[in-house]
PDB file of all heavy atoms in Angstrom:
ATOM      1  N   GLU I  34     -13.010   0.928 -27.750  1.00  0.00           N
ATOM      2  CA  GLU I  34     -12.274  -0.090 -28.479  1.00  0.00           C
ATOM      3  C   GLU I  34     -11.656  -1.109 -27.513  1.00  0.00           C
ATOM      4  O   GLU I  34     -11.108  -0.738 -26.461  1.00  0.00           O
ATOM      5  CB  GLU I  34     -11.062   0.576 -29.264  1.00  0.00           C
ATOM      6  CG  GLU I  34     -11.499   1.435 -30.395  1.00  0.00           C
ATOM      7  CD  GLU I  34     -10.286   1.895 -31.209  1.00  0.00           C
ATOM      8  OE1 GLU I  34      -9.353   1.066 -31.424  1.00  0.00           O
ATOM      9  OE2 GLU I  34     -10.249   3.078 -31.574  1.00  0.00           O
ATOM     10  N   ASN I  35     -11.760  -2.406 -27.899  1.00  0.00           N
ATOM     11  CA  ASN I  35     -11.080  -3.414 -27.102  1.00  0.00           C
ATOM     12  C   ASN I  35      -9.585  -3.391 -27.465  1.00  0.00           C
ATOM     13  O   ASN I  35      -9.239  -3.519 -28.627  1.00  0.00           O
ATOM     14  CB  ASN I  35     -11.673  -4.777 -27.404  1.00  0.00           C
ATOM     15  CG  ASN I  35     -12.995  -5.015 -26.708  1.00  0.00           C
ATOM     16  OD1 ASN I  35     -13.074  -4.900 -25.462  1.00  0.00           O
ATOM     17  ND2 ASN I  35     -14.000  -5.380 -27.445  1.00  0.00           N
ATOM     18  N   VAL I  36      -8.755  -3.218 -26.501  1.00  0.00           N
ATOM     19  CA  VAL I  36      -7.317  -3.138 -26.708  1.00  0.00           C
ATOM     20  C   VAL I  36      -6.654  -4.403 -26.174  1.00  0.00           C
ATOM     21  O   VAL I  36      -6.620  -4.608 -24.947  1.00  0.00           O
ATOM     22  CB  VAL I  36      -6.693  -1.908 -26.045  1.00  0.00           C
ATOM     23  CG1 VAL I  36      -5.216  -1.808 -26.362  1.00  0.00           C
ATOM     24  CG2 VAL I  36      -7.395  -0.612 -26.496  1.00  0.00           C
ATOM     25  N   ALA I  37      -6.236  -5.280 -27.072  1.00  0.00           N
ATOM     26  CA  ALA I  37      -5.546  -6.471 -26.650  1.00  0.00           C
ATOM     27  C   ALA I  37      -4.171  -6.147 -26.159  1.00  0.00           C
ATOM     28  O   ALA I  37      -3.404  -5.478 -26.885  1.00  0.00           O
ATOM     29  CB  ALA I  37      -5.491  -7.495 -27.822  1.00  0.00           C
ATOM     30  N   LEU I  38      -3.836  -6.554 -24.960  1.00  0.00           N
ATOM     31  CA  LEU I  38      -2.524  -6.201 -24.394  1.00  0.00           C
ATOM     32  C   LEU I  38      -1.387  -7.006 -25.076  1.00  0.00           C
ATOM     33  O   LEU I  38      -0.259  -6.539 -25.119  1.00  0.00           O
ATOM     34  CB  LEU I  38      -2.504  -6.419 -22.913  1.00  0.00           C
ATOM     35  CG  LEU I  38      -3.454  -5.512 -22.120  1.00  0.00           C
ATOM     36  CD1 LEU I  38      -3.404  -5.784 -20.638  1.00  0.00           C
ATOM     37  CD2 LEU I  38      -3.144  -4.017 -22.392  1.00  0.00           C
ATOM     38  N   GLU I  39      -1.673  -8.249 -25.496  1.00  0.00           N
ATOM     39  CA  GLU I  39      -0.722  -9.034 -26.274  1.00  0.00           C
ATOM     40  C   GLU I  39       0.691  -9.104 -25.675  1.00  0.00           C
ATOM     41  O   GLU I  39       1.687  -8.996 -26.330  1.00  0.00           O
ATOM     42  CB  GLU I  39      -0.611  -8.426 -27.726  1.00  0.00           C
ATOM     43  CG  GLU I  39      -1.927  -8.396 -28.465  1.00  0.00           C
ATOM     44  CD  GLU I  39      -1.838  -7.659 -29.761  1.00  0.00           C
ATOM     45  OE1 GLU I  39      -1.251  -6.547 -29.777  1.00  0.00           O
ATOM     46  OE2 GLU I  39      -2.374  -8.171 -30.754  1.00  0.00           O
ATOM     47  N   GLY I  40       0.672  -9.258 -24.364  1.00  0.00           N
ATOM     48  CA  GLY I  40       1.945  -9.400 -23.654  1.00  0.00           C
ATOM     49  C   GLY I  40       2.584  -8.061 -23.305  1.00  0.00           C
ATOM     50  O   GLY I  40       3.659  -8.003 -22.726  1.00  0.00           O
ATOM     51  N   THR I  50       0.461 -10.537 -19.737  1.00  0.00           N
ATOM     52  CA  THR I  50      -0.816 -10.000 -20.121  1.00  0.00           C
ATOM     53  C   THR I  50      -1.451 -10.667 -21.351  1.00  0.00           C
ATOM     54  O   THR I  50      -2.504 -10.267 -21.805  1.00  0.00           O
ATOM     55  CB  THR I  50      -0.729  -8.494 -20.402  1.00  0.00           C
ATOM     56  OG1 THR I  50       0.174  -8.264 -21.480  1.00  0.00           O
ATOM     57  CG2 THR I  50      -0.251  -7.756 -19.133  1.00  0.00           C
ATOM     58  N   ASP I  51      -0.764 -11.663 -21.917  1.00  0.00           N
ATOM     59  CA  ASP I  51      -1.334 -12.378 -23.102  1.00  0.00           C
ATOM     60  C   ASP I  51      -2.725 -12.899 -22.732  1.00  0.00           C
ATOM     61  O   ASP I  51      -2.911 -13.507 -21.667  1.00  0.00           O
ATOM     62  CB  ASP I  51      -0.445 -13.568 -23.490  1.00  0.00           C
ATOM     63  CG  ASP I  51       0.728 -13.132 -24.359  1.00  0.00           C
ATOM     64  OD1 ASP I  51       0.551 -12.271 -25.215  1.00  0.00           O
ATOM     65  OD2 ASP I  51       1.849 -13.644 -24.162  1.00  0.00           O
ATOM     66  N   GLY I  52      -3.663 -12.655 -23.619  1.00  0.00           N
ATOM     67  CA  GLY I  52      -5.045 -13.073 -23.419  1.00  0.00           C
ATOM     68  C   GLY I  52      -5.893 -12.033 -22.755  1.00  0.00           C
ATOM     69  O   GLY I  52      -7.130 -12.157 -22.686  1.00  0.00           O
ATOM     70  N   TYR I  53      -5.287 -10.993 -22.246  1.00  0.00           N
ATOM     71  CA  TYR I  53      -6.011  -9.886 -21.583  1.00  0.00           C
ATOM     72  C   TYR I  53      -6.283  -8.765 -22.563  1.00  0.00           C
ATOM     73  O   TYR I  53      -5.470  -8.453 -23.437  1.00  0.00           O
ATOM     74  CB  TYR I  53      -5.235  -9.350 -20.382  1.00  0.00           C
ATOM     75  CG  TYR I  53      -5.541 -10.074 -19.119  1.00  0.00           C
ATOM     76  CD1 TYR I  53      -4.934 -11.280 -18.826  1.00  0.00           C
ATOM     77  CD2 TYR I  53      -6.464  -9.545 -18.197  1.00  0.00           C
ATOM     78  CE1 TYR I  53      -5.213 -11.960 -17.657  1.00  0.00           C
ATOM     79  CE2 TYR I  53      -6.733 -10.235 -17.009  1.00  0.00           C
ATOM     80  CZ  TYR I  53      -6.110 -11.440 -16.728  1.00  0.00           C
ATOM     81  OH  TYR I  53      -6.426 -12.083 -15.586  1.00  0.00           O
ATOM     82  N   SER I  54      -7.430  -8.139 -22.421  1.00  0.00           N
ATOM     83  CA  SER I  54      -7.748  -6.888 -23.140  1.00  0.00           C
ATOM     84  C   SER I  54      -8.490  -5.952 -22.222  1.00  0.00           C
ATOM     85  O   SER I  54      -9.090  -6.389 -21.247  1.00  0.00           O
ATOM     86  CB  SER I  54      -8.593  -7.198 -24.409  1.00  0.00           C
ATOM     87  OG  SER I  54      -9.842  -7.744 -24.049  1.00  0.00           O
ATOM     88  N   LEU I  55      -8.358  -4.655 -22.550  1.00  0.00           N
ATOM     89  CA  LEU I  55      -9.047  -3.634 -21.771  1.00  0.00           C
ATOM     90  C   LEU I  55      -9.849  -2.772 -22.765  1.00  0.00           C
ATOM     91  O   LEU I  55      -9.473  -2.560 -23.911  1.00  0.00           O
ATOM     92  CB  LEU I  55      -8.079  -2.730 -21.039  1.00  0.00           C
ATOM     93  CG  LEU I  55      -7.629  -3.200 -19.663  1.00  0.00           C
ATOM     94  CD1 LEU I  55      -6.631  -4.327 -19.745  1.00  0.00           C
ATOM     95  CD2 LEU I  55      -7.097  -2.061 -18.836  1.00  0.00           C
ATOM     96  N   ARG I  56     -11.015  -2.294 -22.321  1.00  0.00           N
ATOM     97  CA  ARG I  56     -11.842  -1.360 -23.050  1.00  0.00           C
ATOM     98  C   ARG I  56     -12.249  -0.236 -22.134  1.00  0.00           C
ATOM     99  O   ARG I  56     -12.754  -0.448 -21.018  1.00  0.00           O
ATOM    100  CB  ARG I  56     -13.114  -2.074 -23.569  1.00  0.00           C
ATOM    101  CG  ARG I  56     -13.946  -1.172 -24.499  1.00  0.00           C
ATOM    102  CD  ARG I  56     -15.183  -1.877 -24.963  1.00  0.00           C
ATOM    103  NE  ARG I  56     -16.169  -2.076 -23.896  1.00  0.00           N
ATOM    104  CZ  ARG I  56     -16.615  -3.271 -23.499  1.00  0.00           C
ATOM    105  NH1 ARG I  56     -16.160  -4.355 -24.050  1.00  0.00           N
ATOM    106  NH2 ARG I  56     -17.517  -3.337 -22.490  1.00  0.00           N
ATOM    107  N   ILE I  57     -11.921   0.993 -22.574  1.00  0.00           N
ATOM    108  CA  ILE I  57     -12.354   2.154 -21.792  1.00  0.00           C
ATOM    109  C   ILE I  57     -13.736   2.554 -22.302  1.00  0.00           C
ATOM    110  O   ILE I  57     -13.890   2.972 -23.454  1.00  0.00           O
ATOM    111  CB  ILE I  57     -11.349   3.327 -21.992  1.00  0.00           C
ATOM    112  CG1 ILE I  57      -9.898   2.860 -21.730  1.00  0.00           C
ATOM    113  CG2 ILE I  57     -11.719   4.474 -21.089  1.00  0.00           C
ATOM    114  CD1 ILE I  57      -9.684   2.238 -20.387  1.00  0.00           C
ATOM    115  N   VAL I  93     -13.842   0.999 -16.946  1.00  0.00           N
ATOM    116  CA  VAL I  93     -12.912   0.090 -17.602  1.00  0.00           C
ATOM    117  C   VAL I  93     -13.463  -1.335 -17.555  1.00  0.00           C
ATOM    118  O   VAL I  93     -13.830  -1.816 -16.503  1.00  0.00           O
ATOM    119  CB  VAL I  93     -11.518   0.107 -16.955  1.00  0.00           C
ATOM    120  CG1 VAL I  93     -10.547  -0.842 -17.661  1.00  0.00           C
ATOM    121  CG2 VAL I  93     -10.977   1.529 -16.978  1.00  0.00           C
ATOM    122  N   THR I  94     -13.515  -2.005 -18.706  1.00  0.00           N
ATOM    123  CA  THR I  94     -13.865  -3.432 -18.777  1.00  0.00           C
ATOM    124  C   THR I  94     -12.616  -4.222 -19.044  1.00  0.00           C
ATOM    125  O   THR I  94     -11.943  -4.028 -20.077  1.00  0.00           O
ATOM    126  CB  THR I  94     -14.926  -3.677 -19.858  1.00  0.00           C
ATOM    127  OG1 THR I  94     -16.104  -2.979 -19.526  1.00  0.00           O
ATOM    128  CG2 THR I  94     -15.227  -5.191 -19.973  1.00  0.00           C
ATOM    129  N   ILE I  95     -12.317  -5.127 -18.135  1.00  0.00           N
ATOM    130  CA  ILE I  95     -11.135  -5.990 -18.220  1.00  0.00           C
ATOM    131  C   ILE I  95     -11.614  -7.360 -18.657  1.00  0.00           C
ATOM    132  O   ILE I  95     -12.518  -7.942 -18.039  1.00  0.00           O
ATOM    133  CB  ILE I  95     -10.403  -6.093 -16.880  1.00  0.00           C
ATOM    134  CG1 ILE I  95     -10.064  -4.694 -16.325  1.00  0.00           C
ATOM    135  CG2 ILE I  95      -9.121  -6.954 -16.998  1.00  0.00           C
ATOM    136  CD1 ILE I  95      -9.675  -4.682 -14.862  1.00  0.00           C
ATOM    137  N   THR I  96     -11.037  -7.948 -19.689  1.00  0.00           N
ATOM    138  CA  THR I  96     -11.384  -9.259 -20.214  1.00  0.00           C
ATOM    139  C   THR I  96     -10.214 -10.210 -20.194  1.00  0.00           C
ATOM    140  O   THR I  96      -9.092  -9.838 -20.631  1.00  0.00           O
ATOM    141  CB  THR I  96     -11.982  -9.123 -21.613  1.00  0.00           C
ATOM    142  OG1 THR I  96     -13.139  -8.335 -21.596  1.00  0.00           O
ATOM    143  CG2 THR I  96     -12.353 -10.512 -22.197  1.00  0.00           C
ATOM    144  N   ASN I  97     -10.430 -11.411 -19.724  1.00  0.00           N
ATOM    145  CA  ASN I  97      -9.458 -12.453 -19.792  1.00  0.00           C
ATOM    146  C   ASN I  97      -9.961 -13.574 -20.655  1.00  0.00           C
ATOM    147  O   ASN I  97     -10.815 -14.343 -20.261  1.00  0.00           O
ATOM    148  CB  ASN I  97      -9.176 -12.966 -18.352  1.00  0.00           C
ATOM    149  CG  ASN I  97      -8.172 -14.141 -18.358  1.00  0.00           C
ATOM    150  OD1 ASN I  97      -7.569 -14.458 -19.351  1.00  0.00           O
ATOM    151  ND2 ASN I  97      -7.990 -14.774 -17.183  1.00  0.00           N
ATOM    152  N   ASP I  98      -9.437 -13.616 -21.908  1.00  0.00           N
ATOM    153  CA  ASP I  98      -9.887 -14.642 -22.842  1.00  0.00           C
ATOM    154  C   ASP I  98      -8.996 -15.884 -22.789  1.00  0.00           C
ATOM    155  O   ASP I  98      -9.141 -16.794 -23.613  1.00  0.00           O
ATOM    156  CB  ASP I  98      -9.836 -14.085 -24.249  1.00  0.00           C
ATOM    157  CG  ASP I  98     -10.997 -13.177 -24.566  1.00  0.00           C
ATOM    158  OD1 ASP I  98     -12.123 -13.457 -24.057  1.00  0.00           O
ATOM    159  OD2 ASP I  98     -10.856 -12.157 -25.305  1.00  0.00           O
ATOM    160  N   SER I  99      -8.105 -15.948 -21.820  1.00  0.00           N
ATOM    161  CA  SER I  99      -7.221 -17.091 -21.690  1.00  0.00           C
ATOM    162  C   SER I  99      -7.691 -18.084 -20.628  1.00  0.00           C
ATOM    163  O   SER I  99      -8.682 -17.832 -19.970  1.00  0.00           O
ATOM    164  CB  SER I  99      -5.803 -16.629 -21.346  1.00  0.00           C
ATOM    165  OG  SER I  99      -5.743 -16.204 -19.998  1.00  0.00           O
ATOM    166  N   GLY I 107      -2.036 -11.353 -15.449  1.00  0.00           N
ATOM    167  CA  GLY I 107      -2.838 -10.205 -15.059  1.00  0.00           C
ATOM    168  C   GLY I 107      -2.240  -8.946 -15.559  1.00  0.00           C
ATOM    169  O   GLY I 107      -1.472  -8.941 -16.530  1.00  0.00           O
ATOM    170  N   PHE I 108      -2.596  -7.908 -14.907  1.00  0.00           N
ATOM    171  CA  PHE I 108      -2.249  -6.558 -15.440  1.00  0.00           C
ATOM    172  C   PHE I 108      -1.933  -5.659 -14.256  1.00  0.00           C
ATOM    173  O   PHE I 108      -2.751  -5.555 -13.320  1.00  0.00           O
ATOM    174  CB  PHE I 108      -3.472  -6.007 -16.239  1.00  0.00           C
ATOM    175  CG  PHE I 108      -3.292  -4.605 -16.754  1.00  0.00           C
ATOM    176  CD1 PHE I 108      -2.236  -4.226 -17.555  1.00  0.00           C
ATOM    177  CD2 PHE I 108      -4.261  -3.644 -16.417  1.00  0.00           C
ATOM    178  CE1 PHE I 108      -2.100  -2.955 -18.036  1.00  0.00           C
ATOM    179  CE2 PHE I 108      -4.110  -2.351 -16.910  1.00  0.00           C
ATOM    180  CZ  PHE I 108      -3.039  -2.001 -17.712  1.00  0.00           C
ATOM    181  N   ILE I 110      -2.381  -2.791 -13.015  1.00  0.00           N
ATOM    182  CA  ILE I 110      -3.271  -1.714 -13.366  1.00  0.00           C
ATOM    183  C   ILE I 110      -2.955  -0.428 -12.613  1.00  0.00           C
ATOM    184  O   ILE I 110      -3.244   0.659 -13.045  1.00  0.00           O
ATOM    185  CB  ILE I 110      -4.767  -2.159 -13.122  1.00  0.00           C
ATOM    186  CG1 ILE I 110      -5.718  -1.309 -13.988  1.00  0.00           C
ATOM    187  CG2 ILE I 110      -5.122  -2.129 -11.658  1.00  0.00           C
ATOM    188  CD1 ILE I 110      -7.058  -1.917 -14.154  1.00  0.00           C
ATOM    189  N   VAL I 149      -8.760 -11.149 -13.747  1.00  0.00           N
ATOM    190  CA  VAL I 149     -10.135 -11.650 -13.712  1.00  0.00           C
ATOM    191  C   VAL I 149     -10.122 -13.135 -14.003  1.00  0.00           C
ATOM    192  O   VAL I 149      -9.126 -13.671 -14.522  1.00  0.00           O
ATOM    193  CB  VAL I 149     -11.072 -10.892 -14.654  1.00  0.00           C
ATOM    194  CG1 VAL I 149     -11.150  -9.417 -14.294  1.00  0.00           C
ATOM    195  CG2 VAL I 149     -10.614 -11.050 -16.096  1.00  0.00           C
ATOM    196  N   THR I 153     -13.777 -14.534 -18.629  1.00  0.00           N
ATOM    197  CA  THR I 153     -14.803 -13.622 -18.123  1.00  0.00           C
ATOM    198  C   THR I 153     -14.337 -12.198 -18.338  1.00  0.00           C
ATOM    199  O   THR I 153     -13.199 -11.900 -18.662  1.00  0.00           O
ATOM    200  CB  THR I 153     -15.056 -13.809 -16.617  1.00  0.00           C
ATOM    201  OG1 THR I 153     -13.893 -13.489 -15.859  1.00  0.00           O
ATOM    202  CG2 THR I 153     -15.420 -15.288 -16.299  1.00  0.00           C
ATOM    203  N   SER I 154     -15.292 -11.254 -18.127  1.00  0.00           N
ATOM    204  CA  SER I 154     -15.006  -9.862 -18.141  1.00  0.00           C
ATOM    205  C   SER I 154     -15.510  -9.199 -16.880  1.00  0.00           C
ATOM    206  O   SER I 154     -16.418  -9.722 -16.219  1.00  0.00           O
ATOM    207  CB  SER I 154     -15.699  -9.185 -19.353  1.00  0.00           C
ATOM    208  OG  SER I 154     -15.206  -9.683 -20.606  1.00  0.00           O
ATOM    209  N   TYR I 155     -14.876  -8.087 -16.480  1.00  0.00           N
ATOM    210  CA  TYR I 155     -15.306  -7.408 -15.279  1.00  0.00           C
ATOM    211  C   TYR I 155     -15.184  -5.895 -15.554  1.00  0.00           C
ATOM    212  O   TYR I 155     -14.166  -5.429 -16.120  1.00  0.00           O
ATOM    213  CB  TYR I 155     -14.377  -7.787 -14.135  1.00  0.00           C
ATOM    214  CG  TYR I 155     -14.808  -7.227 -12.801  1.00  0.00           C
ATOM    215  CD1 TYR I 155     -15.727  -7.836 -11.998  1.00  0.00           C
ATOM    216  CD2 TYR I 155     -14.261  -5.969 -12.363  1.00  0.00           C
ATOM    217  CE1 TYR I 155     -16.141  -7.305 -10.788  1.00  0.00           C
ATOM    218  CE2 TYR I 155     -14.649  -5.467 -11.104  1.00  0.00           C
ATOM    219  CZ  TYR I 155     -15.594  -6.119 -10.333  1.00  0.00           C
ATOM    220  OH  TYR I 155     -16.007  -5.579  -9.156  1.00  0.00           O
ATOM    221  N   LEU I 196      -1.612   2.125 -21.373  1.00  0.00           N
ATOM    222  CA  LEU I 196      -1.925   0.764 -20.930  1.00  0.00           C
ATOM    223  C   LEU I 196      -0.708  -0.092 -20.871  1.00  0.00           C
ATOM    224  O   LEU I 196      -0.660  -1.060 -20.141  1.00  0.00           O
ATOM    225  CB  LEU I 196      -2.972   0.138 -21.858  1.00  0.00           C
ATOM    226  CG  LEU I 196      -4.309   0.882 -21.976  1.00  0.00           C
ATOM    227  CD1 LEU I 196      -5.255   0.100 -22.909  1.00  0.00           C
ATOM    228  CD2 LEU I 196      -4.968   1.077 -20.630  1.00  0.00           C
ATOM    229  N   LYS I 203       0.815   1.177 -25.822  1.00  0.00           N
ATOM    230  CA  LYS I 203      -0.607   1.121 -26.173  1.00  0.00           C
ATOM    231  C   LYS I 203      -1.314   2.210 -25.414  1.00  0.00           C
ATOM    232  O   LYS I 203      -1.344   2.259 -24.183  1.00  0.00           O
ATOM    233  CB  LYS I 203      -1.189  -0.263 -25.827  1.00  0.00           C
ATOM    234  CG  LYS I 203      -0.649  -1.409 -26.654  1.00  0.00           C
ATOM    235  CD  LYS I 203      -1.170  -2.716 -26.264  1.00  0.00           C
ATOM    236  CE  LYS I 203      -0.602  -3.850 -27.131  1.00  0.00           C
ATOM    237  NZ  LYS I 203      -1.250  -3.938 -28.426  1.00  0.00           N
TER     238      LYS I 203
END
Side-chain angles (χ1 to χ4, degrees):
E34 292 185 41
N35 282 306
V36 182
L38 295 179
E39 300 173 315
T50 62
D51 278 321
Y53 271 80
S54 63
L55 274 76
R56 186 181 71 240
I57 309 304
V93 180
T94 297
I95 307 165
T96 299
N97 177 8
D98 283 325
S99 74
F108 175 57
I110 203 162
V149 297
T153 65
S154 296
Y155 186 86
L196 302 181
K203 292 178 180 282

